[in-house]
Amino acid sequence: MKINLNALKLSALLLALPLTVNAAQDELVEQGKYLAKLGDCTACHTIDVGQANGGGLPFTTPFGIVYSTNISSDEEFGIGHYSLEDFTNAMRGGVAPKGNLYPAMPYTSYHLLTDQDIEALYRYFMSTKPVKQENRDNDLMFPTNIRMGLKAWNLVNHDSKVFEADADKSEEWNRGSYIVNGLGHCGECHTPRDVMFAMDQSRHFEGELIGGAEASDITPQELNRQGWTKQDLDDVLRKGYSRKGTVFAGMYPVVFHSFSHLTKDDMSAVTSYLLDNDAEVAAKPDIFNGHDKSDPGYALYSGYCAGCHGIDGEGKPNVSPALIANATIDKAVPINTLSVMLNGVEEQRYSHTHGFYAMPSYRDTFNVKQLTELTNYIRKVWTKQPSDLTESQVQGWVDKIEDSIADAAH
């Protein structure tokens, strides 16, 4: 009996083909799972009492409340009926099969994604557990509740082009730019908004007040001025705390759900981009100017702060961060220093072994005079910032914080 070797080889190839295709699909799904963490998708599309990706999380805007939608693979309430083209249109142009999406969904950043990454995300979400959770109706004022108006908004404010590498920068820097500006969508919070509530790209990453706290200025100029190193940024983005202080407010869940999952190479790329430097940056000497016990701020600090932060601002492990080299107090405008005094900070657990106790609110304890004295004293001892702030200036910043909280509550 004569055996046709060519026929056997062809049969073996055909039998192996489904395995190869399935392996490639599995790899794409795993890539999409990682990218979804970079994009913080689950955090925005999951409520405490709901299933993952089921939607329903409220986002407060100046025009009312927008609720995140179900992005599970459910075909009735989720995106299970989406084609890859539908998904791409939503990610790049903010247009879903049922109409325009509100830019609370950050397609104004996601448009930078490559075709491969968009397909990977699509394959991942199509593989997720379908969630039978109905979408909530948005509560928006007229005329912003008319989605057709978003077409005009997109025409003026949205550029759906894909990421283009900067030929003058390194491959690592470009990878960091792609992550930070694309899936990381950092600019959505850290870039001020213009009169049409689009990101003001002329002030890219210069910071914005949101919900009573400032999403900090993360320009290379400011980060380098404050003495951040690549390791400092790695620590704070991966663990939530570093030599330069801790994250709090809206940045805490971003670290927990998203940046803590970055690979070593991707985190290195992110820090290279943020500092505009591929090499490690030397840490600057810590500032401690000594205490002036005659200063009225000293009595406030020693009475209310030193018990947790240490008399010399050294901090205590698993209790509170140090004030020495702390980036929050080393800002030209002390919005976040005042914010934590007024609002406190919730307990933050970064792992089973590390975290910090809650900081109480002193809203009902300190008057504006005391807030001014304490803020000036902290700046005088641990920074090179001017320590001659007036009560009028502090009252103005307090009013901004209170207005920001009120906006977030309605």
Side-chain angles (χ1 to χ4, degrees):
M1 179 180 177
K2 187 175 180 180
I3 298 176
N4 189 327
L5 294 177
N6 288 332
L8 284 175
K9 289 178 181 179
L10 179 60
S11 297
L13 179 62
L14 291 173
L15 287 171
L17 189 59
L19 295 176
T20 303
V21 172
N22 288 337
Q25 289 290 341
D26 290 344
E27 185 176 338
L28 208 55
V29 168
E30 281 302 307
Q31 179 189 353
K33 183 178 180 180
Y34 173 68
L35 294 173
K37 288 179 179 177
L38 264 63
D40 211 12
C41 304
T42 299
C44 288
H45 289 270
T46 306
I47 54 176
D48 291 340
V49 296
Q51 297 182 59
N53 300 316
L57 196 70
F59 288 84
T60 303
T61 76
F63 316 107
I65 298 176
V66 176
Y67 292 94
S68 65
T69 56
N70 187 326
I71 57 169
S72 76
S73 63
D74 185 74
E75 294 189 2
E76 182 180 5
F77 300 120
I79 60 173
H81 62 287
Y82 277 31
S83 66
L84 175 57
E85 183 180 5
D86 292 334
F87 187 80
T88 302
N89 289 337
M91 292 289 286
R92 287 220 179 106
V95 181
K98 290 185 178 180
N100 284 80
L101 300 172
Y102 287 96
M105 186 281 192
Y107 61 86
T108 43
S109 295
Y110 290 166
H111 69 88
L112 294 171
L113 271 62
T114 63
D115 289 344
Q116 180 183 351
D117 281 353
I118 286 181
E119 182 177 0
L121 282 163
Y122 174 74
R123 300 300 175 193
Y124 165 67
F125 282 112
M126 292 305 110
S127 75
T128 60
K129 178 182 178 181
V131 177
K132 291 291 182 182
Q133 185 170 301
E134 192 170 356
N135 290 305
R136 296 188 62 174
D137 292 332
N138 296 319
D139 184 13
L140 294 167
M141 66 177 68
F142 179 83
T144 57
N145 60 343
I146 302 174
R147 289 181 182 267
M148 284 295 293
L150 290 165
K151 293 188 181 299
W153 190 91
N154 284 340
L155 188 65
V156 175
N157 299 294
H158 182 51
D159 184 350
S160 59
K161 68 180 181 181
V162 181
F163 177 79
E164 295 179 1
D166 185 336
D168 295 328
K169 296 292 185 178
S170 69
E171 182 178 346
E172 183 173 53
W173 185 96
N174 276 295
R175 173 64 178 170
S177 176
Y178 178 73
I179 293 171
V180 170
N181 291 298
L183 265 177
H185 61 283
C186 303
E188 302 287 343
C189 290
H190 289 271
T191 297
R193 301 275 169 172
D194 61 21
V195 293
M196 295 189 71
F197 292 93
M199 287 184 286
D200 182 355
Q201 296 299 348
S202 68
R203 302 176 62 196
H204 190 232
F205 287 169
E206 290 184 8
E208 178 74 315
L209 187 61
I210 302 172
E214 183 190 47
S216 297
D217 182 331
I218 56 170
T219 59
Q221 294 80 6
E222 177 66 4
L223 293 175
N224 282 293
R225 182 197 69 78
Q226 289 193 329
W228 286 87
T229 67
K230 291 191 68 173
Q231 188 59 56
D232 293 333
L233 287 171
D234 188 303
D235 286 341
V236 80
L237 292 174
R238 192 180 300 283
K239 299 185 294 186
Y241 59 93
S242 75
R243 182 182 65 90
K244 302 294 293 178
T246 69
V247 299
F248 64 98
M251 193 62 193
Y252 177 62
V254 174
V255 168
F256 184 81
H257 291 288
S258 181
F259 276 93
S260 60
H261 298 280
L262 261 67
T263 64
K264 181 180 179 180
D265 287 345
D266 276 351
M267 182 62 80
S268 180
V270 165
T271 60
S272 291
Y273 171 71
L274 289 174
L275 291 174
D276 196 18
N277 196 331
D278 288 349
E280 179 56 286
V281 180
K284 294 182 178 180
D286 295 336
I287 297 172
F288 177 53
N289 299 316
H291 289 291
D292 177 2
K293 294 184 179 181
S294 66
D295 191 305
Y298 175 78
L300 291 168
Y301 179 79
S302 59
Y304 290 96
C305 313
C308 289
H309 291 285
I311 190 62
D312 291 336
E314 66 272 21
K316 293 184 179 180
N318 289 313
V319 175
S320 61
L323 298 186
I324 298 173
N326 194 294
T328 295
I329 63 175
D330 184 29
K331 292 177 179 291
V333 177
I335 285 283
N336 279 349
T337 299
L338 292 166
S339 178
V340 296
M341 289 180 187
L342 292 171
N343 304 318
V345 179
E346 294 181 356
E347 180 180 1
Q348 307 217 24
R349 301 304 307 176
Y350 304 108
S351 67
H352 293 299
T353 59
H354 204 105
F356 293 106
Y357 288 171
M359 175 178 166
S361 163
Y362 292 103
R363 179 183 301 277
D364 299 324
T365 305
F366 297 152
N367 57 32
V368 173
K369 181 175 183 293
Q370 291 170 313
L371 286 171
T372 304
E373 291 173 344
L374 182 54
T375 302
N376 275 331
Y377 188 75
I378 289 171
R379 288 159 69 93
K380 176 181 178 180
V381 175
W382 290 287
T383 80
K384 292 183 179 180
Q385 295 290 353
S387 55
D388 57 354
L389 306 176
T390 66
E391 290 181 36
S392 176
Q393 286 177 304
V394 169
Q395 183 63 64
W397 290 318
V398 169
D399 290 343
K400 286 185 178 181
I401 291 169
E402 302 291 29
D403 289 345
S404 178
I405 293 172
D407 288 342
H410 292 91

